[in-house]
């Protein structure tokens, strides 16, 4: 999402973006660190608080807008992308952020999400994926792993989960990224990129719910695991990871992305990440490396391509119509049909 | 045919004060098209008129079957009329199915023009006729004119170069030509229209023109018809007129209201019959700054409109019954956010998918109560096609002034029906704008729910306004601050405030007017599109020497403040409704008045005669 | 502590007939847990009881704040009681916020036990206390017991090996121990429960046990309390009892009804407070053949349930207000398909997201009218937690017999509240099964809308049945054949048939019973969870020497056939409702009776005293 | 979707699967040929008509069930997959087919579609894609090309379209195919494969709406164009097309699927189609060859992998519960809490 607000003369601080409402998440919830990351990033963007609108659905994560000293709507379950679409179309001058959860965005709100993505409405979408329904106290979500035992699945869930990155790519998203609640710097870098992107920017955030799904990402996000379990994507660079960058990603002869030992294949054979490729297949291939956060998982920007924004095109048609027909004249409009007078 | 030859006829026309004509044919026969032409030319000619299109829900139901019949009824008169007419004086039947489907609506003595070419074995069978009704006495009670329209069309179109299969499709213009002659319609505008509309396809244009002229000349030359008829221009109240359908009037009303509210329209909608034409119409007017968004579904459409309103636009969404169901939750949110919003419900036959192309008034209680929790909102209804303009304007006025979603009810009959519209002087339209909040309003803070003491509306502070940053949401909030709040007393306060805000609209709307006669004991109370048939029925009852009063509601919630007093004046109250008695239930609950329902749930408007009979029964009984 | 030492106390208990205790603390303090324990042990002991849990919508609102307070009220008695009690006799306040949030519900003379350890500067400030209320005279009107629960818990838990931060979390069990002593509760079951529940974590188990015992012993040894109290077992009607909450009773009711209907339950739902526990409960009982599906949203849940019913299962879906909004369109389809379906609405505070964890009755008119078109369906409501079983059974009975969706209304209070339940003899439950159609029914054809002349229900022919293949849909269909049909008269017929089918249920339900006194002039008419407080109020009014009658509705649509006649018997009718007067509007419209509303919309049940006062006013005034 | 009905003793014919209702589509509509293909295929499947349920939403195409002499529901707009899910779970013995349109399935019904696909509920989904809303008389749909002029987009639509095959793949579909209304044989082969698949089988059908969007697929489906514009996929075979099979699909060095001249690259370099690959990336890559039916477009089965069906797993849990706990006993259930008796 682009910086299109007026730059502010005074320097802004985190405080300028923090509301006076007490934060109501469980102690230890991953939501806190996302909030911090966003509040710390905001002043850097050089846009005054009044030019942001945070729109959320319903869920623990969706309380987020209350804590931002910006404009905000805590809407209804799953519908945030539609409200955000209305705001963005009405006011291309604003910066619209959508805050949503794995239930909010992918269960009840799945349709609005995929349509916002294909339309490329200018909004930054942060999906707090804790693989659980937090607010309703612990049912499995569309990202929960198969067999998960929860209140609503005492014998294990049967629903094959979505891979949010794959889904977004299948829905023609122009910007797709993933980050996690354990690394504020990484979050900020990704959020900033998302904000700068013209169009809908989709960011999946792995977020720990320490009350109902504690440790869901432990296998990849513990300090100790991160080097060998997180595959950081950098545009234009060969994809490498591991404590000593000893591992990498390469395409095998079938064209599938696979994990390799760099020593075995040679650095040349590594896949060079390309965010800007028109064809989303590469990004899709990377998204399939990890269906669940238990194996090496790519984080960072999967895809970032340019496409006209929806509201930009709306605006273009309005301007063109005015140029063609002149500004609307009600009398003329009504009188455009045959008119007769009775006196 | 020159312009001169077209407006005179060699035989003297007989003057009529009114006539009801029904064009009926197969869905593919273009009946709506010729109906529209006849209507437009009659409107410009100066008749008063009303129309009733009627077509199947299928895009194209099986050709030749009863299910596939499409008809268009138009009532023209030299005085102000109120309905499309109870009984057609003339039925144009393009095939056996069209005859069969419409015959039972005629009275003995009505005229029928049949396209004899279509009355062959296969078509008769498809229509379920064992024998040819033209020949077997079925039509004995009627004046029947048999015209081989198809073959005459083919003959006429020969020169156009169109292949017979294509040329045959011009037969609706033959029929139009014939009827234009019969009722002495000006021909030039029709010819022009054909020329323009089919400008891109010479062959089709020429075939249609040739068919039209052939029909006209057939009337003139054939011995079939004694003489043409004439319906003079009506003496309507002075003013500028144009013909308009309900959906177009509604679209114009939104544009006008938005202009007077100094807000851009942000219209989000998901297509649905019979509301889609509002989207189609509005999407043409981008030069007014109207943004139209075809959403992925009705819920998204409501959400987009809410977002638009939050951002300082006039959020509007329109749909029909199934879509209203779906939008319920979002409308509840708008109500809780206390933002302006207009939801248009173009009612159609229900429940469920029901009768998508037919009219009904059965969503009134849904509009009142179709959201969980105590969730009241103002409701406005249009009563004729052209008053869709006024109703839209009024809905916007209330929405903006009180910061509330408003439901605007119309129906399939209003949406597609047309009538002459004495349109308002644009410059005289009221200013209905409201200022956005720009300043802190409470001890150095901005309180988003600090209400206007008169209207109880909250400040509308739009994003981009420095210092007024605030968050709103669907959770209960503290009055004043707008902060999330679960306090029991605050909740009750808010529930009552939201109700009080809607109730206050009553002081801001005109009292209901009663078309009264001294001594009337029966009041007919109506709302929405029953206006025409009720008014016509009342005229007839009075013509019969009885006294009756009529009151018609534009505001369904809140009711006009004098309604209780008006109802109390009469011994009996009759409520004709195209439902099982919905307004009736509201009135009974509110005023404990024994309002009686006259119900018709057939997907069709009332006939004046039906209401007349009931009124007479109540007066005499 | 051994089992022996636990049931006796060294000081003589004083007998009470009833007591109302409220546990209040931070959301994280485990108040619901100890409330449940106290309830269960009192139930098994034989008291009559009623409970009222009350907690914030946030998972864990900020610790120490008013918004974060969670409470659990339980009323136990030696006679049959009706409500969780108007005014607590004893408040247990674990921190200043808990004190502040609950203090205004007490009467002078009530007792308060405060955890003094929590009354330090930071907590006082968070609660908004400028000074310590224990010391500044704020509590002068009450009997205050100050107990340093946290430190005593820490002390007691030392041996468990738990770290102080963890051990501190056992303080709720200290409070439970103390209260158990105060009211002479049997201790063994609580000890057993702790042992079982925390079996997997020795440290926690031991800490909780130690805290519980320490609390108990503190009561016994401290000079603070004169003597314990005793509330004897109640003399309830003979039968087998267990304690049960509304949501569990409802789940059992569905399982029982399905068994008696010889249908498997297919339950599809999307989680939502306060309905989720029905899903949780049902998902445990797969051995009954119960299929539970957590759908992607409420619309899908309704769709899945409809599919299930079409395929011959008992389709059920449950939700709360926002979900009912969303399901409207699908319920309209079920109604048009004329298939059995039960939609449970566990009502919560609205509109919009509202007060998700609070109770309300404001969805009645939504249940009646919340679908487009004329779309009537039967509505059943439960009146106490345990009658959720009966109401579910009745809803299924009607749905299956009449092939119609039925809405079952409960509310947050019923869902989470608990009471002793005299459960029925399973073998005595009625057979409510209906045969599937297996044969052609009309001249060698199968007509899916050929109705049973008595119930007007259509045949239920399930896929897999040879020869009965048929298609159903939401478009209007011809009565009998079920073929798509747009005929005006058929539509009216179908609209009326659908209404008549629902109306016929009236002949199939018991007349409303009136708890009457000769000479009463005021009738209190209630529905749903107001049963308890109304009944209690009526008792009090009668205790005060006045006469009053009470009728309570289980069937909201159609009304019992004698209701009109019952209403006519009284001079005045009072309808207490947790809304702005919804039943009241229905009754006024139906019977033109001037029913008066006593409204409470605070997210909390009525107190008996509130209703009592209004009744007295109406009798005397 | 599997054959799990009882075989029928008598031989069935098309008539056995045709209802007595008159077919109500416009003359020349592509829906007719799909209906014919299905009615002709049915008898071959050896399953009696009563064991089929056809479920549809709303749209021209959704009238389909009325014409089948099977069980059927013409439901509400967009919701057919949910009703089908209920039927399939209740009755794994039935064969459930979903009939839907591009508006029905991808606009209002997008969420139910993607969830049915990920859950792998056993159903055969036929999506009639005519790139238009037919029944409501011609508004653009989620598959309409950018800039399309329709009643609701007089100045051209601004909504970037979905690629239904990509979307289905991103939603974890286990079977994805495409066919078209001009080739009955191809349709029948694909439908049969879809029917045989265990789980949700997604079939996109290019269907001409000759009234509101005539010729949408002309560029690839005209007799003359087909050889060089349709890329027929066959499992295990190198992907080739063209009148003389002179064209093929190969992966370029970036791993993108591209059209090549076989003569230029050599047959060895051609991509060998593999429907059964676990990783959906190859299928995804193929789906990106054509975003609109104006360039060479793959038809046939993109993906067909095995995954347990949802209702199979539901059944498994029921059986396991009965084995574990015995058949449900109501008395026992109610009495499981502490019980006391008052006499
Ligand atoms: C229409 C509707 N249905 C259901 C709910 C209940 N509900 C609230 S939040 C939620 C899911 C929350 O999960 P997620 O989006 O993952 O957010 P989290 O709490 O995990 O951050 C549900 C089912 C609701 N508020 N509204
Ligand atoms: C809830 C609801 N919204 C809208 C409609 C109106 N409607 C009926 S079909 C349709 C779209 C049809 O398009 P598609 O699914 O592509 O089917 P087609 O007619 O092209 O076969 C719409 C918008 C409806 N019936 N119900
Ligand atoms: S329940 Fe989970 S997601 Fe919600 S606030 Fe608590 S820790 Fe965070
Ligand atoms: S409108 Fe188009 S899709 Fe619908 S029946 Fe006619 S040709 Fe077929
Ligand atoms: Mg979540
Ligand atoms: Mg389509």
């Amino acid at each position: 999402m682009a910086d299109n607000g007026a730059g502010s003369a005074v320097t802004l601080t985190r405080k300028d973006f923090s509301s006076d409402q007490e934060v109501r998440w469980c102690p230890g919830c991953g939501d806190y660190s996302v909030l911090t990351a966003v509040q710390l990033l905001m002043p850097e963007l050089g846009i005054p608080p009044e030019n942001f609108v945070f729109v959320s659905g319903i869920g623990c994560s969706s309380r987020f807008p209350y804590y931002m000293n910006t404009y905000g709507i805590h809407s209804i379950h799953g519908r945030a992308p539609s409200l955000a679409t209305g705001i963005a179309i009405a006011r291309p001058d604003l910066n619209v952020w959508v805050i949503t959860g794995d239930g909010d965005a992918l269960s009840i709100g799945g349709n609005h999400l995929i349509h916002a993505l294909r339309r490329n409405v200018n909004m930054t979408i942060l999906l707090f994926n804790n693989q659980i329904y937090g607010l309703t106290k612990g049912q499995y979500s569309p990202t929960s792993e198969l067999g998960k035992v929860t209140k609503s699945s005492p014998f294990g869930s049967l629903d094959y989960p979505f891979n949010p990155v794959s889904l977004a790519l299948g829905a023609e998203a122009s910007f797709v990224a993933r980050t996690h609640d354990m690394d504020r710097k990484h979050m900020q870098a990704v959020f900033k990129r998302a904000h700068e992107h013209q169009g809908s920017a989709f960011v999946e955030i792995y977020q720990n719910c320490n009350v109902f799904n504690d440790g869901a990402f432990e296998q990849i996000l513990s300090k100790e695991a991160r080097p060998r379990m997180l595959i950081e994507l950098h545009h234009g660079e060969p994809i490498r990871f591991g404590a000593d960058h000893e591992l990498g990603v390469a395409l095998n002869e079938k064209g599938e992305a696979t994990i390799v030992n760099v020593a075995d294949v040679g650095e040349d054979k590594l896949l060079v990440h390309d965010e800007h490729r028109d064809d989303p297949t590469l990004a899709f291939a990377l998204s399939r490396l990890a269906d669940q956060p238990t194996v090496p998982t790519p984080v960072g920007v999967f895809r970032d391509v340019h496409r006209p924004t929806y509201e930009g095109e709306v605006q273009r048609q309005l301007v063109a119509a005015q140029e063609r027909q002149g500004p609307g004249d009600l009398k003329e409009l009504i009188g455009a049909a045959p008119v007769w007078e009775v006196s | 045919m020159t312009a001169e030859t077209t407006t005179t006829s060699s035989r003297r026309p007989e003057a009529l004060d009114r006539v009801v004509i029904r064009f009926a044919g197969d869905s593919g026969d273009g009946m709506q098209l010729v109906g529209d032409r006849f209507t437009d030319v009659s409107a410009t000619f100066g008749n008063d008129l009303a129309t009733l299109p009627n077509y199947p829900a299928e895009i194209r139901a099986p050709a030749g079957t009863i299910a596939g019949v499409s008809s268009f009824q138009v009532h023209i008169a030299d005085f102000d009329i109120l309905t499309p007419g109870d009984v057609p004086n003339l039925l144009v039947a393009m095939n056996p199915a069209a005859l069969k489907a419409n015959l039972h609506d005629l009275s003995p003595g009505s005229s029928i023009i049949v396209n004899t070419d279509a009355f062959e074995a296969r078509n008769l069978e498809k229509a379920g006729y064992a024998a040819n009704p033209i020949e077997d006495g079925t039509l004995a009670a009627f004046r029947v004119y048999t015209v081989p329209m198809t073959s005459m069309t083919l003959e006429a179109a020969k020169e156009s170069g169109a292949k017979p299969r294509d040329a045959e499709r011009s037969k609706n213009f033959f029929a139009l030509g014939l009827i234009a002659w019969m009722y002495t319609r000006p021909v030039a505008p029709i010819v022009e229209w054909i020329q323009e509309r089919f400008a891109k396809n010479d062959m089709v244009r020429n075939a249609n023109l040739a068919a039209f002229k052939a029909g006209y000349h057939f009337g003139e030359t054939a011995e079939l018809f004694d003489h043409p008829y004439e319906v003079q221009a009506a003496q309507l109240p002075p003013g500028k007129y144009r013909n308009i359908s309900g959906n177009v009037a509604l679209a114009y009303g939104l544009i006008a209201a938005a202009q007077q509210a100094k807000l851009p329209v942000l219209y989000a909608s998901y297509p649905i019959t019979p509301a889609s034409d509002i989207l189609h119409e509005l999407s043409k007017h981008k030069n007014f700054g109207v943004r139209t968004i075809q959403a992925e579904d009705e819920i998204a459409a409501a959400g987009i409109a809410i977002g638009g309103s939050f951002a300082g636009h006039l959020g509007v969404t329109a749909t029909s019954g199934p879509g209203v169901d779906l939008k319920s939750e979002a409308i509840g949110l708008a109500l809780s956010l206390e933002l302006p919003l207009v939801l248009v419900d173009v009612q159609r036959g229900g429940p469920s998918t029901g009768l998508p192309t037919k009219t009904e008034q059965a969503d009134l209680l849904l509009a009142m109560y179709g959201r969980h929790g105590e969730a009241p909102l103002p409701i406005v209804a249009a009563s004729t096609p052209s008053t869709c303009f006024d109703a839209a304007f009024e809905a916007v006025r209330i929405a903006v002034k009180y910061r509330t979603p408003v439901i605007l009810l119309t129906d399939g009959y209003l949406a597609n029906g047309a009538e002459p519209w004495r349109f308002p002087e644009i410059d005289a339209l009221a200013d209905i704008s409201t200022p956005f909040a720009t300043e802190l309003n409470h001890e150095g803070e901005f309180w988003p729910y600090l209400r206007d003491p008169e209207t109880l509306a909250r400040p509308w502070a739009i994003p981009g306004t420095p210092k007024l940053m605030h968050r709103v949401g669907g959770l209960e909030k503290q009055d004043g601050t707008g902060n999330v709040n679960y306090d029991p007393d605050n909740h009750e306060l808010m529930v009552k405030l939201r109700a009080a805000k809607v109730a206050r609209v009553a002081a801001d709307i005109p009292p209901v007017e009663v078309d009264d006669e001294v001594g009337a004991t029966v009041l007919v109370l109506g709302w929405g599109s029953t206006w025409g048939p009720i008014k016509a029925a009342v005229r007839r009852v009075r013509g019969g020497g009885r006294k009756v009063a009529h009151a018609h509601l534009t505001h369904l919630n809140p009711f006009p403040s004098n309604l209780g007093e008006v109802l109390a004046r009469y011994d009996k109250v009759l409520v004709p409704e195209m439902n099982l008695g919905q307004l009736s239930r509201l009135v009974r609950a509110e005023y404990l008045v024994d309002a009686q329902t006259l119900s018709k749930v057939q997907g069709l408007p009332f006939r004046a005669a039906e209401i007349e009979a009931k009124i007479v029964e109540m007066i005499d009984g």
Side-chain angles (χ1 to χ4, degrees), chain A residues 41-336:
Chain A
L41 171 67
M42 290 279 120
E44 281 181 33
L45 303 178
I47 299 169
E50 65 265 23
N51 286 351
F52 286 94
V53 185
F54 279 77
V55 187
S56 65
I58 301 286
C60 293
S61 35
S62 287
R63 293 300 182 95
F64 195 101
Y66 287 127
Y67 311 134
M68 297 296 301
N69 185 33
T70 62
Y71 286 87
I73 308 184
H74 179 224
S75 77
I76 43 179
H77 199 29
R79 318 302 174 186
S82 62
L83 280 94
T85 296
I87 297 168
I89 291 173
R91 298 282 303 281
D93 60 311
L94 300 173
N95 292 268
V96 184
W97 291 55
V98 168
I99 306 291
T100 182
D102 42 325
D104 194 59
L106 298 175
S107 199
I108 193 167
N111 205 31
H112 310 304
L113 177 71
I114 60 179
H115 281 270
L117 293 177
R118 79 172 174 101
R119 288 197 191 106
N120 209 33
V121 187
N122 205 9
M123 60 175 83
T124 305
I125 303 170
L126 306 189
L127 188 158
F128 291 53
N129 183 4
N130 54 11
Q131 304 195 327
I132 199 85
Y133 290 177
L135 189 69
T136 46
K137 305 198 174 171
Q139 299 83 11
Y140 65 97
S141 91
T143 56
S144 297
E145 69 278 12
L146 268 181
K148 187 177 198 77
V149 173
T150 69
K151 279 192 189 149
S152 57
S153 57
F155 306 107
S157 88
L158 306 176
D159 299 48
Y160 193 87
F162 282 133
N163 177 325
V165 170
S166 301
L167 183 68
L169 291 167
E172 312 296 333
S174 61
F175 182 101
V176 180
R178 181 188 285 144
T179 183
H180 62 90
D181 64 1
M182 298 293 285
D183 187 342
R184 184 190 303 160
K185 282 245 163 65
H186 192 267
M187 280 194 279
Q188 286 182 333
V190 167
F191 297 165
K192 189 155 186 225
R193 288 284 309 281
H195 162 81
E196 283 160 2
H197 177 72
Q198 300 272 351
S200 43
F202 175 80
V203 182
E204 178 186 20
I205 308 168
Y206 284 158
Q207 172 248 323
N208 192 43
C209 166
N210 56 309
V211 171
F212 295 109
N213 200 20
D214 198 21
F217 307 101
E218 184 93 6
Q219 288 180 65
I220 61 165
L221 293 186
S222 71
K223 263 259 151 66
E224 168 280 305
R226 276 187 240 171
R228 66 188 157 76
M229 294 301 253
L230 290 187
I231 307 174
E232 293 207 18
L233 302 175
H234 298 286
H235 178 70
E237 291 179 19
I239 304 175
R240 298 187 69 149
F241 65 109
D244 303 313
H245 295 271
E246 73 281 14
L247 299 165
V249 176
L251 294 181
N252 65 14
E253 68 290 355
K254 292 172 163 181
E256 296 168 326
T258 36
I259 309 280
V260 294
N261 269 313
V262 181
D264 294 350
V265 301
E267 159 129 34
D268 295 2
K269 288 274 184 284
L270 294 186
L271 203 54
V272 175
H273 186 46
D274 181 358
E275 299 167 349
H276 307 319
R277 217 183 267 178
D278 221 39
D279 182 343
T281 301
L282 169 65
F284 190 84
L286 291 172
S287 78
R288 306 312 294 186
L289 281 171
D291 273 343
Q292 282 293 323
T294 50
V295 295
T297 301
V299 295
V301 177
F302 286 71
R303 174 173 170 82
D304 179 3
V305 298
H306 179 76
R307 222 165 62 211
T309 67
Y310 193 81
E311 66 270 45
E313 293 294 282
V314 168
Q315 214 60 36
R316 190 178 56 71
Q317 287 195 337
L318 291 188
V319 171
Q322 296 214 344
E323 278 170 4
R324 204 174 41 238
Q325 303 163 265
D329 177 333
L330 210 48
K331 275 186 220 173
E332 214 173 82
L333 175 67
I334 290 177

Side-chain angles (χ1 to χ4, degrees), chain B residues 70-156:
Chain B
S70 170
S71 72
F72 188 101
Q73 180 165 319
V74 52
H75 184 181
I76 57 173
D78 68 1
F79 61 99
D80 68 313
I81 49 162
L82 302 158
T83 74
D86 284 10
V87 179
N89 303 100
L90 172 66
L91 170 69
V92 181
M94 301 301 284
N95 69 8
L99 181 69
K100 184 153 191 189
N102 291 286
L103 197 56
H104 58 94
D105 286 340
L106 303 186
S107 300
S110 298
S111 300
I112 305 175
I113 300 181
V114 287
N115 173 18
T116 43
D117 288 332
F119 282 66
E120 37 78 36
R122 227 178 91 80
N123 281 338
L124 290 168
E125 189 198 317
K126 277 197 203 163
Y129 276 123
N132 190 338
I134 307 179
E135 295 156 5
D136 71 355
T138 305
L139 307 180
F142 309 100
R143 281 160 63 187
V144 181
Y145 303 98
T146 55
V147 184
M149 297 195 207
T150 313
S151 42
M152 292 176 77
T153 301
L154 287 177
E155 188 57 35

Side-chain angles (χ1 to χ4, degrees), chain B residues 3-333:
Chain B
E4 291 96 282
T5 66
T6 60
T7 44
T8 55
S9 164
S10 51
R11 278 163 283 167
R12 253 269 154 78
E14 177 189 336
L16 296 175
D17 60 344
R18 53 182 281 273
V19 68
V20 178
I21 303 164
R22 187 183 293 179
F23 298 91
D26 207 61
S27 308
D29 283 347
M31 293 295 99
Q32 305 300 322
L33 193 80
V34 299
D36 275 341
R37 274 318 88 217
F38 188 88
T39 303
D40 268 13
V41 80
S42 299
T44 345
F45 177 71
N47 295 128
D48 196 10
L49 60 84
T51 69
L52 176 63
N54 193 4
Y55 46 88
E58 281 82 17
I59 285 296
R60 209 163 289 170
T65 65
I66 300 277
V69 172
S70 170
S71 72
F72 188 101
Q73 180 165 319
V74 52
H75 184 181
I76 57 173
D78 68 1
F79 61 99
D80 68 313
I81 49 162
L82 302 158
T83 74
D86 284 10
V87 179
N89 303 100
L90 172 66
L91 170 69
V92 181
M94 301 301 284
N95 69 8
L99 181 69
K100 184 153 191 189
N102 291 286
L103 197 56
H104 58 94
D105 286 340
L106 303 186
S107 300
S110 298
S111 300
I112 305 175
I113 300 181
V114 287
N115 173 18
T116 43
D117 288 332
F119 282 66
E120 37 78 36
R122 227 178 91 80
N123 281 338
L124 290 168
E125 189 198 317
K126 277 197 203 163
Y129 276 123
N132 190 338
I134 307 179
E135 295 156 5
D136 71 355
T138 305
L139 307 180
F142 309 100
R143 281 160 63 187
V144 181
Y145 303 98
T146 55
V147 184
M149 297 195 207
T150 313
S151 42
M152 292 176 77
T153 301
L154 287 177
E155 188 57 35
K158 255 187 189 153
E159 283 190 13
S160 72
K163 287 195 214 103
R165 246 192 73 183
D166 295 334
E168 186 261 331
R169 302 185 59 202
S170 298
K171 66 179 179 297
N172 54 335
F173 283 98
F174 183 97
L176 180 61
L178 176 54
I179 307 305
W181 173 82
M182 272 188 83
Y183 296 99
T184 331
R185 300 289 92 183
V187 163
I190 302 180
V191 169
E192 270 165 38
W193 183 91
I194 295 175
Q195 268 160 347
E196 231 173 76
R197 166 71 176 262
F198 303 102
K200 286 203 191 121
N201 191 329
D202 283 359
M203 211 133 71
V204 172
R205 185 194 56 220
N206 292 341
N208 286 342
L209 275 177
F212 176 71
K213 291 179 191 171
Y216 195 93
H217 290 144
F218 177 78
E220 182 131 316
T221 50
E223 294 295 304
L224 222 50
F225 306 97
D226 234 30
H227 54 260
Y229 300 90
E230 200 174 33
V231 181
Q232 289 296 341
Q235 242 330 321
L236 299 173
K240 279 191 185 160
Y241 285 80
R242 58 160 287 178
N243 192 37
I244 198 154
S245 74
N247 273 345
V248 173
L250 200 152
Y252 289 0
L254 291 173
I255 294 174
Q259 175 176 304
Q260 298 307 97
K262 305 195 176 76
L263 297 170
V265 173
L266 193 145
Y267 181 89
S269 182
Y270 186 69
I272 188 167
T273 306
S276 308
D277 280 340
I278 305 174
L279 170 63
H280 304 158
E281 185 61 36
L282 285 172
S283 64
K284 294 178 196 158
H285 305 299
K286 298 201 192 302
N287 59 328
F288 283 84
V290 174
R291 287 153 181 83
T292 56
I293 298 111
Q294 181 176 311
E296 61 270 29
D297 63 20
E298 284 86 354
I299 301 176
I304 292 169
I306 294 172
S309 287
F310 182 75
H313 281 218
L314 174 65
V316 182
T317 183
T319 185
S320 188
V324 179
D325 292 355
L326 290 169
K327 287 176 204 280
S328 308
E329 192 202 9
I331 297 301
L333 174 68

